[in-house]
Amino acid sequence: MATIGKDILKVVQLLEEGRLVAIPTETVYGLGANALDSIAVAGIFKAKKRPAFDPLIVHTYSMEKAKEYVSEFPAELEKLAKAYWPGPLTLLLPKKNIIPDLVTSGLEKVAVRVPDHPLTLQLLKELNFPLAAPSANPFGYVSPTKPEHVNRQLGNEIDYILDGGNCSVGIESTIVGMENGKICIYRLGGLSIEQIEKIVGKLELRINNSDNPTAPGQLKSHYSPMKKLLIGNIEELLEQNKNACVLNFGSKKFNAPTFNLSEISDLTEAAANLFTGLRTLDESAAKIILTDYLPNIGLGMAINDRLTRAAAEK
Ligand code: TXA
Ligand code: MG
């Protein structure tokens, strides 16, 4: 098992040696390594059993610093960075040569983000390289939002987990880029479409999907618990399924073991609880997990996206 602690100097030392460390962010825990060192980055793919066609997000501490890794920063995306960095926003920008091809899986654009977590921001300022970090879970499984989640699944692959407590947002960053001069959303996430539109105006929503994904977060089946997850009218599903448990939202009560994402129907609270809820029910005695879609506004859109992929046939 890995050590869980707050020793930033120890983390700096491990990362400088090319090792992997789990780091807290406001969205989910990341599995970090020196983004400029291909060998260190290769360790991430190995530990996660992640296919090499799945590129990684590069984390740094400011927009100025991000500019050292990209050759172009379109004005519209710069507006978003100014408004929402640090925060749950990842931007796809043309990369400079200093970013190894393994980080972008050979693509010309690199995903960059400034995470909003005090410990990780402090760490990023101490380092003289940025961190490549995917979510710290085995490929395809639910993302981790607590240090213990990381330890249970990847504890044997890494030495240290930087303890930043529970992730406040709880759902991965929203990935935004540009194609043919138009803003494009590649993954729904912790920054809502409404928040993005407040800065850049109305978007044509064109989220790439399933069969020919540019990002595995767009794969039909992703973010999945081991157990089968069914989405629909929970009362009807309970009549048809024995030995079920419920991932609930709101004050309605069901006659089955239940994890409630938010009794007061708050979407922000639900996003923060989503992955803990799926894990808790996955580890329970029930055989199947039942849930229903949340209102499809604000963070509800990203939550519904994760539920659809979690429920998809593997
Ligand atoms: O909130 C987050 O974004 C978390 C924390 C740790 O920062 N990270 C995260 O990383 O969710 P990961 O690797 O689990 O998901 C990143 C997604 C993947 O679906 C990947 O394919 C996509 O970002 N991505 C990364 N670089 C890309 C690129 N150059 N072009 C297209 N998609 C890219
Ligand atoms: Mg992931």
Side-chain angles (χ1 to χ4, degrees), residues 25 27-30 48 50 54-57 59 90 92 104 107 109-111 113 133-135 172-173 175 187 214-217:
T25 82
T27 59
V28 301
Y29 273 74
K48 268 195 68 131
R50 179 172 173 121
D54 189 357
L56 302 174
I57 297 176
H59 297 69
T90 293
L92 276 183
T104 63
L107 298 171
K109 287 184 184 166
V110 61
R113 135 169 153 86
S135 52
E172 299 87 346
S173 60
I175 306 182
R187 175 175 74 181
T214 28

Side-chain angles (χ1 to χ4, degrees), residues 66-299:
K67 286 183 174 166
E68 293 182 17
Y69 311 121
V70 305
S71 60
E72 217 185 298
F73 212 128
E76 291 291 281
L77 297 185
E78 191 165 327
K79 278 193 218 160
L80 286 174
K82 281 197 175 126
Y84 295 120
W85 274 355
L89 166 73
T90 293
L91 295 176
L92 276 183
L93 298 160
K95 82 175 190 77
K96 281 191 183 151
N97 282 339
I98 183 173
I99 300 292
D101 286 331
L102 187 56
V103 170
T104 63
S105 309
L107 298 171
E108 277 163 22
K109 287 184 184 166
V110 61
V112 189
R113 135 169 153 86
V114 178
D116 189 13
H117 192 290
L119 269 186
T120 294
L121 282 174
Q122 195 189 331
L123 170 66
L124 289 165
K125 285 177 196 163
E126 297 277 341
L127 294 168
N128 53 15
F129 47 81
L131 290 178
S135 52
N137 51 282
F139 184 69
Y141 193 69
V142 180
S143 298
T145 53
K146 299 171 189 289
E148 298 73 32
H149 293 164
V150 182
N151 220 2
R152 233 172 290 155
Q153 294 190 304
L154 294 177
N156 293 332
E157 312 284 335
I158 56 178
D159 301 304
Y160 203 87
I161 300 170
L162 186 58
D163 183 1
N166 294 350
C167 299
S168 58
V169 174
I171 200 159
E172 299 87 346
S173 60
T174 305
I175 306 182
V176 182
M178 289 195 93
E179 271 174 41
N180 306 322
K182 283 212 171 128
I183 294 208
C184 199
I185 308 291
Y186 294 83
R187 175 175 74 181
L188 293 166
L191 186 69
S192 71
I193 298 297
E194 291 89 334
Q195 284 171 296
I196 294 172
E197 289 184 334
K198 215 185 276 173
I199 306 296
V200 296
K202 194 84 191 135
L203 296 178
E204 254 175 66
L205 267 197
R206 201 161 56 78
I207 294 147
N208 295 347
N209 228 324
S210 68
D211 293 337
N212 186 17
T214 28
Q218 298 162 359
L219 287 173
K220 255 201 220 143
S221 166
H222 210 67
Y223 314 102
S224 310
M226 305 292 179
K227 283 178 190 154
K228 201 175 169 76
L229 174 75
L230 294 180
I231 311 176
N233 180 303
I234 295 176
E235 260 151 13
E236 286 171 18
L237 289 173
L238 273 172
E239 280 167 23
Q240 297 150 10
N241 291 281
K242 297 256 161 325
N243 224 332
C245 58
V246 173
L247 184 70
N248 194 14
F249 175 74
S251 55
K252 210 162 174 185
K253 297 276 181 288
F254 297 100
N255 189 17
T258 297
F259 185 102
N260 203 326
L261 294 174
S262 172
E263 299 231 9
I264 56 166
S265 302
D266 181 82
L267 291 168
T268 304
E269 183 182 31
N273 288 329
L274 177 66
F275 290 138
T276 294
L278 284 171
R279 277 170 191 268
T280 305
L281 297 178
D282 214 14
E283 287 164 10
S284 76
K287 288 251 160 27
I288 188 162
I289 307 171
L290 309 179
T291 194
D292 202 352
Y293 284 118
L294 277 57
N296 208 34
I297 47 162
L299 290 186

Side-chain angles (χ1 to χ4, degrees), residues 24-73:
T25 82
E26 80 283 28
T27 59
V28 301
Y29 273 74
L31 182 60
N34 179 350
L36 307 184
D37 174 352
S38 292
I39 294 170
V41 172
I44 295 178
F45 287 90
K46 185 157 169 273
K48 268 195 68 131
K49 301 193 171 61
R50 179 172 173 121
F53 66 77
D54 189 357
L56 302 174
I57 297 176
V58 170
H59 297 69
T60 188
Y61 59 83
S62 70
M63 184 165 77
E64 297 329 308
K65 202 67 193 167
K67 286 183 174 166
E68 293 182 17
Y69 311 121
V70 305
S71 60
E72 217 185 298
F73 212 128

Side-chain angles (χ1 to χ4, degrees), residues 11-19 21 32-33 123 127 129 131:
V11 172
V12 169
Q13 185 199 335
L14 287 167
L15 290 167
E16 282 176 348
E17 286 167 9
R19 310 277 277 276
V21 175
L123 170 66
L127 294 168
F129 47 81
L131 290 178

